[in-house]
Amino acid sequence: MRTNMILVTLCIAVMGCGGSYEPQAEVFQTTTASGVLTWKGKPLPGFIVSVHPADGKHIASGTTDAEGRFTLGTNAVGDGAVAGTHKVSVVWQPPEDDGMGAVIDDPSKLPKPPVTLPAKYASPETSGLTLEIPESGSSELKLDLN
């Protein structure tokens, strides 16, 4: 009998009262935020552009395509960024597959970036870059590195 009571108590403790527990992440209000990343005027494909607000809570990022275009996402891929002034970081993101669907598991076989950026661009504190995301959103954000 005592064993049954312990099991019942454990089951109640694990299951809780009236349902399961699912932690909820904070969802931030975003606005459209997309643009183009260039190096000396030429598009930079395969780089991650991240915007970092002063409070550090709602970083948005997006990966550039073949034309250097990126769409930022905060809560989900491509959902935009929080309006305001943001520091920016830019880092190379090598593809995870060989273009034929096979995963590249040997780091020496990963493609090299089209341009080796100065290390300062990898950190929002040293990049010297900022973007203003207007309340109304923007699809014309421009970052030209040199």
Side-chain angles (χ1 to χ4, degrees):
M1 178 76 169
R2 182 178 170 105
T3 304
N4 288 343
M5 287 299 289
I6 291 172
L7 288 174
V8 168
T9 303
L10 283 174
C11 287
I12 291 171
V14 170
M15 292 174 53
C17 298
S20 63
Y21 170 73
E22 293 183 34
Q24 299 294 315
E26 186 174 359
V27 176
F28 296 99
Q29 179 71 31
T30 61
T31 187
T32 305
S34 62
V36 66
L37 173 69
T38 57
W39 170 257
K40 298 181 180 180
K42 295 183 181 178
L44 275 181
F47 283 81
I48 296 175
V49 174
S50 298
V51 297
H52 308 258
D55 68 9
K57 286 186 177 182
H58 40 269
I59 297 168
S61 61
T63 303
T64 59
D65 65 13
E67 289 81 41
R69 296 214 44 90
F70 60 89
T71 299
L72 297 174
T74 302
N75 304 299
V77 174
D79 75 339
V82 173
T85 302
H86 303 267
K87 292 182 180 181
V88 178
S89 63
V90 178
V91 295
W92 166 243
Q93 175 62 47
E96 295 178 2
D97 66 48
D98 64 1
M100 306 288 270
V103 175
I104 301 172
D105 54 2
D106 180 355
S108 69
K109 294 182 181 178
L110 289 171
K112 303 295 181 225
V115 172
T116 301
L117 297 179
K120 71 177 186 173
Y121 291 119
S123 169
E125 300 306 321
T126 59
S127 74
L129 302 170
T130 59
L131 275 177
E132 180 67 31
I133 310 290
E135 292 281 339
S136 59
S138 177
S139 60
E140 300 301 320
L141 301 171
K142 294 187 185 333
L143 287 168
D144 185 33
L145 311 182
N146 50 40

